[in-house]
Amino acid sequence: MLSGRILVVAFEGWNDAGEAATGAVRSLKEELDLVELFAVDPELYFDYQFNRPTISSGDDGRRELTWPGTVLYGPRSPVERVASLGEDAEITVSGDNVGNIFLLLGTEPSRSWQGFAAEIVDRALAADISAVVFLGAMLADVPHTRPISLMSSSDSAEMRAELGIERSDYEGPVGILSVVALAAEAAGIPTMSIWASVPHYVHNAPSPKAMLALIDRLEEVIDVTIPRGDLVEEATAWEEGIDALAADDDDMAAYIAQLEQARDTVDSPEASGEAIAQEFEKYLRRRGDKPDDPRRGR
């Protein structure tokens, strides 16, 4: 588990298939006693023809506009910063780490990514953040009937040793998660990424099953219990709904069976590391210019 002040990050858009990453962070936000510390100026970073504002009625009946943006939240009563990652190999956290958790939640910006990343990193440094955890979700050739695949990576040698994860060797198009992560690493803040794979054939619907998988892993990393609420039942209903669709579509059912066979082969005890790597290489070639692959990038 990570120690010190931890910033958990998720962005709507390219990095958020099935709304799994932002859904997991919103679940955490509901649990924690947080206040808004900072919001970016949307005029600097968003194209409103691409990310349009929304209008709604407030409690008093007045019409209100909500603009796309990104907000940094922090604990109302933060605890004193404890030793940062690597400073004390024996340090543990309590199991109720709420006073150490900060959240960054928003929409992937449309422009000025370098300026955006610099502003976020400056705010993280000002908040004395010890480590950053990025959550992402991508559409993948995976079956909905199997456990959601999660992959973690880090560019920090200390964090890789602490958490037993690997470094990414991805080269190709990236989303805002990669840009902010590299800026944070350059500023001396260690980062890690956790990605969930969401079945691409249900890309139009939120994926509570992927959200649950991210929450499970996030709890292990940041030592905070995140209530599941109705997510377990929603994940079951999500899977049953896709089963019902497949039952009426022979082509879809056959395709899902193919994905299940491929997944079971990779997960089998007999599967070699090389075979698993080959499966991922095939996946990458099929996906092309799609949201970042978690094994090879953010």
PDB file of all heavy atoms in Angstrom, residues 80-120:
ATOM      1  N   GLU A  80      -1.281  15.050   9.065  1.00  0.00           N
ATOM      2  CA  GLU A  80       0.078  15.462   8.765  1.00  0.00           C
ATOM      3  C   GLU A  80       0.699  14.459   7.812  1.00  0.00           C
ATOM      4  O   GLU A  80       0.444  13.262   7.883  1.00  0.00           O
ATOM      5  CB  GLU A  80       0.910  15.540  10.043  1.00  0.00           C
ATOM      6  CG  GLU A  80       0.502  16.672  10.968  1.00  0.00           C
ATOM      7  CD  GLU A  80       1.459  16.812  12.131  1.00  0.00           C
ATOM      8  OE1 GLU A  80       2.518  16.164  12.094  1.00  0.00           O
ATOM      9  OE2 GLU A  80       1.135  17.564  13.053  1.00  0.00           O
ATOM     10  N   ARG A  81       1.540  14.960   6.929  1.00  0.00           N
ATOM     11  CA  ARG A  81       2.180  14.107   5.946  1.00  0.00           C
ATOM     12  C   ARG A  81       3.119  13.149   6.651  1.00  0.00           C
ATOM     13  O   ARG A  81       3.937  13.534   7.476  1.00  0.00           O
ATOM     14  CB  ARG A  81       2.966  14.959   4.952  1.00  0.00           C
ATOM     15  CG  ARG A  81       3.568  14.163   3.809  1.00  0.00           C
ATOM     16  CD  ARG A  81       4.352  15.119   2.912  1.00  0.00           C
ATOM     17  NE  ARG A  81       4.884  14.462   1.738  1.00  0.00           N
ATOM     18  CZ  ARG A  81       6.023  13.808   1.703  1.00  0.00           C
ATOM     19  NH1 ARG A  81       6.733  13.678   2.807  1.00  0.00           N
ATOM     20  NH2 ARG A  81       6.460  13.247   0.583  1.00  0.00           N
ATOM     21  N   VAL A  82       2.981  11.856   6.294  1.00  0.00           N
ATOM     22  CA  VAL A  82       3.881  10.845   6.852  1.00  0.00           C
ATOM     23  C   VAL A  82       4.995  10.600   5.853  1.00  0.00           C
ATOM     24  O   VAL A  82       5.055  11.189   4.784  1.00  0.00           O
ATOM     25  CB  VAL A  82       3.112   9.534   7.161  1.00  0.00           C
ATOM     26  CG1 VAL A  82       2.084   9.793   8.230  1.00  0.00           C
ATOM     27  CG2 VAL A  82       2.458   8.974   5.903  1.00  0.00           C
ATOM     28  N   ALA A  83       5.905   9.690   6.195  1.00  0.00           N
ATOM     29  CA  ALA A  83       7.055   9.434   5.326  1.00  0.00           C
ATOM     30  C   ALA A  83       6.606   9.065   3.927  1.00  0.00           C
ATOM     31  O   ALA A  83       5.671   8.299   3.736  1.00  0.00           O
ATOM     32  CB  ALA A  83       7.897   8.304   5.926  1.00  0.00           C
ATOM     33  N   SER A  84       7.280   9.608   2.945  1.00  0.00           N
ATOM     34  CA  SER A  84       6.905   9.337   1.562  1.00  0.00           C
ATOM     35  C   SER A  84       7.387   7.967   1.137  1.00  0.00           C
ATOM     36  O   SER A  84       8.154   7.302   1.835  1.00  0.00           O
ATOM     37  CB  SER A  84       7.500  10.403   0.638  1.00  0.00           C
ATOM     38  OG  SER A  84       8.902  10.350   0.692  1.00  0.00           O
ATOM     39  N   LEU A  85       6.947   7.553  -0.020  1.00  0.00           N
ATOM     40  CA  LEU A  85       7.270   6.230  -0.549  1.00  0.00           C
ATOM     41  C   LEU A  85       8.776   6.026  -0.565  1.00  0.00           C
ATOM     42  O   LEU A  85       9.523   6.828  -1.088  1.00  0.00           O
ATOM     43  CB  LEU A  85       6.710   6.128  -1.970  1.00  0.00           C
ATOM     44  CG  LEU A  85       6.804   4.765  -2.648  1.00  0.00           C
ATOM     45  CD1 LEU A  85       5.873   3.794  -1.952  1.00  0.00           C
ATOM     46  CD2 LEU A  85       6.439   4.889  -4.116  1.00  0.00           C
ATOM     47  N   GLY A  86       9.221   4.933   0.029  1.00  0.00           N
ATOM     48  CA  GLY A  86      10.628   4.602   0.001  1.00  0.00           C
ATOM     49  C   GLY A  86      11.415   5.163   1.177  1.00  0.00           C
ATOM     50  O   GLY A  86      12.547   4.757   1.419  1.00  0.00           O
ATOM     51  N   GLU A  87      10.866   6.107   1.931  1.00  0.00           N
ATOM     52  CA  GLU A  87      11.605   6.694   3.032  1.00  0.00           C
ATOM     53  C   GLU A  87      11.672   5.754   4.235  1.00  0.00           C
ATOM     54  O   GLU A  87      12.586   5.824   5.029  1.00  0.00           O
ATOM     55  CB  GLU A  87      10.972   8.025   3.458  1.00  0.00           C
ATOM     56  CG  GLU A  87      11.147   9.119   2.420  1.00  0.00           C
ATOM     57  CD  GLU A  87      10.436  10.400   2.831  1.00  0.00           C
ATOM     58  OE1 GLU A  87       9.899  10.443   3.956  1.00  0.00           O
ATOM     59  OE2 GLU A  87      10.412  11.341   2.030  1.00  0.00           O
ATOM     60  N   ASP A  88      10.675   4.899   4.372  1.00  0.00           N
ATOM     61  CA  ASP A  88      10.634   3.985   5.501  1.00  0.00           C
ATOM     62  C   ASP A  88       9.995   2.697   5.035  1.00  0.00           C
ATOM     63  O   ASP A  88       8.790   2.606   4.857  1.00  0.00           O
ATOM     64  CB  ASP A  88       9.828   4.594   6.656  1.00  0.00           C
ATOM     65  CG  ASP A  88       9.831   3.715   7.890  1.00  0.00           C
ATOM     66  OD1 ASP A  88      10.337   2.575   7.807  1.00  0.00           O
ATOM     67  OD2 ASP A  88       9.353   4.171   8.936  1.00  0.00           O
ATOM     68  N   ALA A  89      10.790   1.672   4.852  1.00  0.00           N
ATOM     69  CA  ALA A  89      10.285   0.415   4.298  1.00  0.00           C
ATOM     70  C   ALA A  89       9.323  -0.283   5.246  1.00  0.00           C
ATOM     71  O   ALA A  89       8.569  -1.164   4.839  1.00  0.00           O
ATOM     72  CB  ALA A  89      11.455  -0.516   3.971  1.00  0.00           C
ATOM     73  N   GLU A  90       9.339   0.101   6.528  1.00  0.00           N
ATOM     74  CA  GLU A  90       8.496  -0.564   7.514  1.00  0.00           C
ATOM     75  C   GLU A  90       7.173   0.145   7.730  1.00  0.00           C
ATOM     76  O   GLU A  90       6.342  -0.309   8.504  1.00  0.00           O
ATOM     77  CB  GLU A  90       9.236  -0.649   8.854  1.00  0.00           C
ATOM     78  CG  GLU A  90      10.556  -1.396   8.783  1.00  0.00           C
ATOM     79  CD  GLU A  90      10.363  -2.823   8.297  1.00  0.00           C
ATOM     80  OE1 GLU A  90       9.364  -3.460   8.694  1.00  0.00           O
ATOM     81  OE2 GLU A  90      11.203  -3.293   7.521  1.00  0.00           O
ATOM     82  N   ILE A  91       6.949   1.283   7.055  1.00  0.00           N
ATOM     83  CA  ILE A  91       5.748   2.068   7.342  1.00  0.00           C
ATOM     84  C   ILE A  91       4.483   1.351   6.878  1.00  0.00           C
ATOM     85  O   ILE A  91       4.489   0.663   5.859  1.00  0.00           O
ATOM     86  CB  ILE A  91       5.844   3.455   6.694  1.00  0.00           C
ATOM     87  CG1 ILE A  91       4.782   4.376   7.274  1.00  0.00           C
ATOM     88  CG2 ILE A  91       5.704   3.388   5.191  1.00  0.00           C
ATOM     89  CD1 ILE A  91       5.022   5.837   6.939  1.00  0.00           C
ATOM     90  N   THR A  92       3.431   1.468   7.633  1.00  0.00           N
ATOM     91  CA  THR A  92       2.134   0.931   7.236  1.00  0.00           C
ATOM     92  C   THR A  92       1.095   2.022   7.394  1.00  0.00           C
ATOM     93  O   THR A  92       1.301   2.997   8.102  1.00  0.00           O
ATOM     94  CB  THR A  92       1.732  -0.281   8.113  1.00  0.00           C
ATOM     95  OG1 THR A  92       1.693   0.131   9.477  1.00  0.00           O
ATOM     96  CG2 THR A  92       2.731  -1.416   7.957  1.00  0.00           C
ATOM     97  N   VAL A  93      -0.037   1.832   6.733  1.00  0.00           N
ATOM     98  CA  VAL A  93      -1.136   2.770   6.897  1.00  0.00           C
ATOM     99  C   VAL A  93      -2.271   2.079   7.612  1.00  0.00           C
ATOM    100  O   VAL A  93      -2.307   0.871   7.736  1.00  0.00           O
ATOM    101  CB  VAL A  93      -1.600   3.335   5.534  1.00  0.00           C
ATOM    102  CG1 VAL A  93      -0.594   4.342   5.020  1.00  0.00           C
ATOM    103  CG2 VAL A  93      -1.787   2.234   4.524  1.00  0.00           C
ATOM    104  N   SER A  94      -3.220   2.854   8.053  1.00  0.00           N
ATOM    105  CA  SER A  94      -4.129   2.400   9.096  1.00  0.00           C
ATOM    106  C   SER A  94      -5.271   1.520   8.642  1.00  0.00           C
ATOM    107  O   SER A  94      -5.829   0.797   9.421  1.00  0.00           O
ATOM    108  CB  SER A  94      -4.732   3.623   9.786  1.00  0.00           C
ATOM    109  OG  SER A  94      -5.574   4.315   8.878  1.00  0.00           O
ATOM    110  N   GLY A  95      -5.675   1.596   7.392  1.00  0.00           N
ATOM    111  CA  GLY A  95      -6.919   0.959   6.990  1.00  0.00           C
ATOM    112  C   GLY A  95      -8.028   1.986   6.911  1.00  0.00           C
ATOM    113  O   GLY A  95      -9.085   1.714   6.390  1.00  0.00           O
ATOM    114  N   ASP A  96      -7.795   3.153   7.447  1.00  0.00           N
ATOM    115  CA  ASP A  96      -8.747   4.254   7.336  1.00  0.00           C
ATOM    116  C   ASP A  96      -7.935   5.500   6.980  1.00  0.00           C
ATOM    117  O   ASP A  96      -7.669   6.360   7.807  1.00  0.00           O
ATOM    118  CB  ASP A  96      -9.507   4.449   8.640  1.00  0.00           C
ATOM    119  CG  ASP A  96     -10.608   5.497   8.503  1.00  0.00           C
ATOM    120  OD1 ASP A  96     -10.964   5.851   7.371  1.00  0.00           O
ATOM    121  OD2 ASP A  96     -11.102   5.950   9.541  1.00  0.00           O
ATOM    122  N   ASN A  97      -7.544   5.558   5.727  1.00  0.00           N
ATOM    123  CA  ASN A  97      -6.567   6.540   5.262  1.00  0.00           C
ATOM    124  C   ASN A  97      -7.232   7.797   4.712  1.00  0.00           C
ATOM    125  O   ASN A  97      -6.642   8.506   3.902  1.00  0.00           O
ATOM    126  CB  ASN A  97      -5.712   5.884   4.168  1.00  0.00           C
ATOM    127  CG  ASN A  97      -4.386   6.577   3.976  1.00  0.00           C
ATOM    128  OD1 ASN A  97      -3.831   7.155   4.895  1.00  0.00           O
ATOM    129  ND2 ASN A  97      -3.876   6.518   2.756  1.00  0.00           N
ATOM    130  N   VAL A  98      -8.461   8.063   5.155  1.00  0.00           N
ATOM    131  CA  VAL A  98      -9.253   9.113   4.517  1.00  0.00           C
ATOM    132  C   VAL A  98      -8.612  10.489   4.591  1.00  0.00           C
ATOM    133  O   VAL A  98      -8.793  11.316   3.701  1.00  0.00           O
ATOM    134  CB  VAL A  98     -10.676   9.168   5.112  1.00  0.00           C
ATOM    135  CG1 VAL A  98     -11.424   7.905   4.780  1.00  0.00           C
ATOM    136  CG2 VAL A  98     -10.639   9.379   6.623  1.00  0.00           C
ATOM    137  N   GLY A  99      -7.828  10.767   5.634  1.00  0.00           N
ATOM    138  CA  GLY A  99      -7.224  12.077   5.761  1.00  0.00           C
ATOM    139  C   GLY A  99      -6.059  12.313   4.830  1.00  0.00           C
ATOM    140  O   GLY A  99      -5.503  13.411   4.795  1.00  0.00           O
ATOM    141  N   ASN A 100      -5.673  11.284   4.069  1.00  0.00           N
ATOM    142  CA  ASN A 100      -4.545  11.386   3.156  1.00  0.00           C
ATOM    143  C   ASN A 100      -4.947  11.358   1.681  1.00  0.00           C
ATOM    144  O   ASN A 100      -4.072  11.404   0.814  1.00  0.00           O
ATOM    145  CB  ASN A 100      -3.561  10.226   3.394  1.00  0.00           C
ATOM    146  CG  ASN A 100      -2.625  10.496   4.552  1.00  0.00           C
ATOM    147  OD1 ASN A 100      -2.216  11.623   4.763  1.00  0.00           O
ATOM    148  ND2 ASN A 100      -2.313   9.454   5.305  1.00  0.00           N
ATOM    149  N   ILE A 101      -6.230  11.256   1.374  1.00  0.00           N
ATOM    150  CA  ILE A 101      -6.659  11.037   0.001  1.00  0.00           C
ATOM    151  C   ILE A 101      -7.142  12.336  -0.636  1.00  0.00           C
ATOM    152  O   ILE A 101      -8.024  13.020  -0.106  1.00  0.00           O
ATOM    153  CB  ILE A 101      -7.773   9.971  -0.069  1.00  0.00           C
ATOM    154  CG1 ILE A 101      -7.306   8.680   0.595  1.00  0.00           C
ATOM    155  CG2 ILE A 101      -8.161   9.715  -1.523  1.00  0.00           C
ATOM    156  CD1 ILE A 101      -6.031   8.096   0.028  1.00  0.00           C
ATOM    157  N   PHE A 102      -6.582  12.639  -1.799  1.00  0.00           N
ATOM    158  CA  PHE A 102      -6.994  13.763  -2.632  1.00  0.00           C
ATOM    159  C   PHE A 102      -7.501  13.190  -3.951  1.00  0.00           C
ATOM    160  O   PHE A 102      -7.060  12.119  -4.378  1.00  0.00           O
ATOM    161  CB  PHE A 102      -5.820  14.705  -2.894  1.00  0.00           C
ATOM    162  CG  PHE A 102      -5.300  15.414  -1.675  1.00  0.00           C
ATOM    163  CD1 PHE A 102      -4.624  14.717  -0.668  1.00  0.00           C
ATOM    164  CD2 PHE A 102      -5.474  16.780  -1.521  1.00  0.00           C
ATOM    165  CE1 PHE A 102      -4.141  15.371   0.457  1.00  0.00           C
ATOM    166  CE2 PHE A 102      -4.990  17.442  -0.402  1.00  0.00           C
ATOM    167  CZ  PHE A 102      -4.325  16.734   0.583  1.00  0.00           C
ATOM    168  N   LEU A 103      -8.424  13.896  -4.594  1.00  0.00           N
ATOM    169  CA  LEU A 103      -8.995  13.420  -5.854  1.00  0.00           C
ATOM    170  C   LEU A 103      -8.895  14.506  -6.913  1.00  0.00           C
ATOM    171  O   LEU A 103      -9.063  15.692  -6.628  1.00  0.00           O
ATOM    172  CB  LEU A 103     -10.473  13.045  -5.678  1.00  0.00           C
ATOM    173  CG  LEU A 103     -10.828  11.997  -4.626  1.00  0.00           C
ATOM    174  CD1 LEU A 103     -12.335  11.783  -4.598  1.00  0.00           C
ATOM    175  CD2 LEU A 103     -10.102  10.681  -4.881  1.00  0.00           C
ATOM    176  N   LEU A 104      -8.627  14.080  -8.144  1.00  0.00           N
ATOM    177  CA  LEU A 104      -8.693  14.970  -9.300  1.00  0.00           C
ATOM    178  C   LEU A 104      -9.670  14.339 -10.284  1.00  0.00           C
ATOM    179  O   LEU A 104      -9.461  13.218 -10.745  1.00  0.00           O
ATOM    180  CB  LEU A 104      -7.322  15.129  -9.953  1.00  0.00           C
ATOM    181  CG  LEU A 104      -7.267  16.140 -11.101  1.00  0.00           C
ATOM    182  CD1 LEU A 104      -7.371  17.573 -10.565  1.00  0.00           C
ATOM    183  CD2 LEU A 104      -5.982  15.983 -11.913  1.00  0.00           C
ATOM    184  N   LEU A 105     -10.750  15.048 -10.583  1.00  0.00           N
ATOM    185  CA  LEU A 105     -11.820  14.491 -11.403  1.00  0.00           C
ATOM    186  C   LEU A 105     -12.262  15.540 -12.413  1.00  0.00           C
ATOM    187  O   LEU A 105     -12.478  16.701 -12.057  1.00  0.00           O
ATOM    188  CB  LEU A 105     -12.997  14.099 -10.510  1.00  0.00           C
ATOM    189  CG  LEU A 105     -14.196  13.402 -11.153  1.00  0.00           C
ATOM    190  CD1 LEU A 105     -13.794  12.065 -11.767  1.00  0.00           C
ATOM    191  CD2 LEU A 105     -15.295  13.187 -10.114  1.00  0.00           C
ATOM    192  N   GLY A 106     -12.389  15.127 -13.662  1.00  0.00           N
ATOM    193  CA  GLY A 106     -12.820  16.086 -14.668  1.00  0.00           C
ATOM    194  C   GLY A 106     -12.894  15.481 -16.052  1.00  0.00           C
ATOM    195  O   GLY A 106     -12.948  14.260 -16.214  1.00  0.00           O
ATOM    196  N   THR A 107     -12.886  16.354 -17.038  1.00  0.00           N
ATOM    197  CA  THR A 107     -12.987  15.974 -18.435  1.00  0.00           C
ATOM    198  C   THR A 107     -11.637  16.160 -19.110  1.00  0.00           C
ATOM    199  O   THR A 107     -10.927  17.138 -18.825  1.00  0.00           O
ATOM    200  CB  THR A 107     -14.035  16.854 -19.147  1.00  0.00           C
ATOM    201  OG1 THR A 107     -15.285  16.718 -18.463  1.00  0.00           O
ATOM    202  CG2 THR A 107     -14.205  16.448 -20.595  1.00  0.00           C
ATOM    203  N   GLU A 108     -11.263  15.244 -19.970  1.00  0.00           N
ATOM    204  CA  GLU A 108     -10.016  15.393 -20.712  1.00  0.00           C
ATOM    205  C   GLU A 108     -10.044  16.705 -21.485  1.00  0.00           C
ATOM    206  O   GLU A 108     -10.992  16.976 -22.225  1.00  0.00           O
ATOM    207  CB  GLU A 108      -9.828  14.220 -21.676  1.00  0.00           C
ATOM    208  CG  GLU A 108      -8.502  14.259 -22.408  1.00  0.00           C
ATOM    209  CD  GLU A 108      -8.298  13.030 -23.273  1.00  0.00           C
ATOM    210  OE1 GLU A 108      -9.095  12.835 -24.214  1.00  0.00           O
ATOM    211  OE2 GLU A 108      -7.342  12.270 -23.033  1.00  0.00           O
ATOM    212  N   PRO A 109      -9.032  17.564 -21.317  1.00  0.00           N
ATOM    213  CA  PRO A 109      -9.053  18.862 -21.983  1.00  0.00           C
ATOM    214  C   PRO A 109      -8.923  18.746 -23.496  1.00  0.00           C
ATOM    215  O   PRO A 109      -8.431  17.745 -24.018  1.00  0.00           O
ATOM    216  CB  PRO A 109      -7.847  19.587 -21.382  1.00  0.00           C
ATOM    217  CG  PRO A 109      -6.944  18.498 -20.903  1.00  0.00           C
ATOM    218  CD  PRO A 109      -7.843  17.386 -20.471  1.00  0.00           C
ATOM    219  N   SER A 110      -9.367  19.791 -24.190  1.00  0.00           N
ATOM    220  CA  SER A 110      -9.348  19.813 -25.649  1.00  0.00           C
ATOM    221  C   SER A 110      -8.065  20.404 -26.208  1.00  0.00           C
ATOM    222  O   SER A 110      -7.734  20.184 -27.368  1.00  0.00           O
ATOM    223  CB  SER A 110     -10.533  20.635 -26.185  1.00  0.00           C
ATOM    224  OG  SER A 110     -11.751  20.226 -25.613  1.00  0.00           O
ATOM    225  N   ARG A 111      -7.359  21.194 -25.403  1.00  0.00           N
ATOM    226  CA  ARG A 111      -6.170  21.885 -25.911  1.00  0.00           C
ATOM    227  C   ARG A 111      -5.237  22.230 -24.752  1.00  0.00           C
ATOM    228  O   ARG A 111      -5.578  22.055 -23.593  1.00  0.00           O
ATOM    229  CB  ARG A 111      -6.573  23.157 -26.654  1.00  0.00           C
ATOM    230  CG  ARG A 111      -7.450  24.107 -25.847  1.00  0.00           C
ATOM    231  CD  ARG A 111      -7.742  25.386 -26.594  1.00  0.00           C
ATOM    232  NE  ARG A 111      -8.676  26.229 -25.854  1.00  0.00           N
ATOM    233  CZ  ARG A 111      -9.958  26.360 -26.156  1.00  0.00           C
ATOM    234  NH1 ARG A 111     -10.462  25.693 -27.187  1.00  0.00           N
ATOM    235  NH2 ARG A 111     -10.739  27.148 -25.438  1.00  0.00           N
ATOM    236  N   SER A 112      -4.034  22.719 -25.117  1.00  0.00           N
ATOM    237  CA  SER A 112      -3.030  23.192 -24.146  1.00  0.00           C
ATOM    238  C   SER A 112      -2.723  22.135 -23.092  1.00  0.00           C
ATOM    239  O   SER A 112      -2.695  22.419 -21.889  1.00  0.00           O
ATOM    240  CB  SER A 112      -3.512  24.488 -23.479  1.00  0.00           C
ATOM    241  OG  SER A 112      -3.764  25.489 -24.430  1.00  0.00           O
ATOM    242  N   TRP A 113      -2.444  20.923 -23.535  1.00  0.00           N
ATOM    243  CA  TRP A 113      -2.217  19.833 -22.594  1.00  0.00           C
ATOM    244  C   TRP A 113      -0.976  20.046 -21.740  1.00  0.00           C
ATOM    245  O   TRP A 113      -0.962  19.680 -20.566  1.00  0.00           O
ATOM    246  CB  TRP A 113      -2.119  18.504 -23.353  1.00  0.00           C
ATOM    247  CG  TRP A 113      -3.454  17.957 -23.748  1.00  0.00           C
ATOM    248  CD1 TRP A 113      -4.623  18.631 -23.833  1.00  0.00           C
ATOM    249  CD2 TRP A 113      -3.734  16.607 -24.100  1.00  0.00           C
ATOM    250  NE1 TRP A 113      -5.633  17.787 -24.233  1.00  0.00           N
ATOM    251  CE2 TRP A 113      -5.112  16.542 -24.407  1.00  0.00           C
ATOM    252  CE3 TRP A 113      -2.970  15.455 -24.208  1.00  0.00           C
ATOM    253  CZ2 TRP A 113      -5.732  15.357 -24.803  1.00  0.00           C
ATOM    254  CZ3 TRP A 113      -3.582  14.279 -24.610  1.00  0.00           C
ATOM    255  CH2 TRP A 113      -4.954  14.227 -24.898  1.00  0.00           C
ATOM    256  N   GLN A 114       0.066  20.618 -22.312  1.00  0.00           N
ATOM    257  CA  GLN A 114       1.276  20.825 -21.520  1.00  0.00           C
ATOM    258  C   GLN A 114       1.035  21.849 -20.407  1.00  0.00           C
ATOM    259  O   GLN A 114       1.475  21.650 -19.268  1.00  0.00           O
ATOM    260  CB  GLN A 114       2.421  21.279 -22.422  1.00  0.00           C
ATOM    261  CG  GLN A 114       2.859  20.210 -23.418  1.00  0.00           C
ATOM    262  CD  GLN A 114       4.030  20.664 -24.269  1.00  0.00           C
ATOM    263  OE1 GLN A 114       5.152  20.795 -23.768  1.00  0.00           O
ATOM    264  NE2 GLN A 114       3.790  20.915 -25.546  1.00  0.00           N
ATOM    265  N   GLY A 115       0.319  22.921 -20.731  1.00  0.00           N
ATOM    266  CA  GLY A 115      -0.020  23.900 -19.710  1.00  0.00           C
ATOM    267  C   GLY A 115      -0.942  23.315 -18.665  1.00  0.00           C
ATOM    268  O   GLY A 115      -0.808  23.594 -17.467  1.00  0.00           O
ATOM    269  N   PHE A 116      -1.896  22.514 -19.106  1.00  0.00           N
ATOM    270  CA  PHE A 116      -2.824  21.852 -18.191  1.00  0.00           C
ATOM    271  C   PHE A 116      -2.060  20.953 -17.225  1.00  0.00           C
ATOM    272  O   PHE A 116      -2.257  21.020 -15.999  1.00  0.00           O
ATOM    273  CB  PHE A 116      -3.828  21.032 -19.001  1.00  0.00           C
ATOM    274  CG  PHE A 116      -4.834  20.275 -18.182  1.00  0.00           C
ATOM    275  CD1 PHE A 116      -6.037  20.858 -17.811  1.00  0.00           C
ATOM    276  CD2 PHE A 116      -4.590  18.959 -17.796  1.00  0.00           C
ATOM    277  CE1 PHE A 116      -6.972  20.153 -17.058  1.00  0.00           C
ATOM    278  CE2 PHE A 116      -5.515  18.251 -17.047  1.00  0.00           C
ATOM    279  CZ  PHE A 116      -6.713  18.853 -16.683  1.00  0.00           C
ATOM    280  N   ALA A 117      -1.167  20.115 -17.757  1.00  0.00           N
ATOM    281  CA  ALA A 117      -0.401  19.202 -16.906  1.00  0.00           C
ATOM    282  C   ALA A 117       0.468  19.970 -15.922  1.00  0.00           C
ATOM    283  O   ALA A 117       0.566  19.600 -14.737  1.00  0.00           O
ATOM    284  CB  ALA A 117       0.463  18.284 -17.771  1.00  0.00           C
ATOM    285  N   ALA A 118       1.092  21.049 -16.381  1.00  0.00           N
ATOM    286  CA  ALA A 118       1.937  21.851 -15.493  1.00  0.00           C
ATOM    287  C   ALA A 118       1.121  22.442 -14.355  1.00  0.00           C
ATOM    288  O   ALA A 118       1.573  22.473 -13.192  1.00  0.00           O
ATOM    289  CB  ALA A 118       2.617  22.951 -16.299  1.00  0.00           C
ATOM    290  N   GLU A 119      -0.094  22.906 -14.653  1.00  0.00           N
ATOM    291  CA  GLU A 119      -0.937  23.496 -13.617  1.00  0.00           C
ATOM    292  C   GLU A 119      -1.352  22.445 -12.594  1.00  0.00           C
ATOM    293  O   GLU A 119      -1.352  22.700 -11.379  1.00  0.00           O
ATOM    294  CB  GLU A 119      -2.164  24.144 -14.254  1.00  0.00           C
ATOM    295  CG  GLU A 119      -2.972  24.971 -13.292  1.00  0.00           C
ATOM    296  CD  GLU A 119      -3.990  25.873 -13.972  1.00  0.00           C
ATOM    297  OE1 GLU A 119      -4.157  25.793 -15.207  1.00  0.00           O
ATOM    298  OE2 GLU A 119      -4.631  26.671 -13.249  1.00  0.00           O
ATOM    299  N   ILE A 120      -1.701  21.248 -13.067  1.00  0.00           N
ATOM    300  CA  ILE A 120      -2.101  20.179 -12.149  1.00  0.00           C
ATOM    301  C   ILE A 120      -0.932  19.769 -11.263  1.00  0.00           C
ATOM    302  O   ILE A 120      -1.078  19.582 -10.043  1.00  0.00           O
ATOM    303  CB  ILE A 120      -2.624  18.973 -12.945  1.00  0.00           C
ATOM    304  CG1 ILE A 120      -3.899  19.327 -13.710  1.00  0.00           C
ATOM    305  CG2 ILE A 120      -2.869  17.787 -12.011  1.00  0.00           C
ATOM    306  CD1 ILE A 120      -5.025  19.864 -12.871  1.00  0.00           C
TER     307      ILE A 120
END
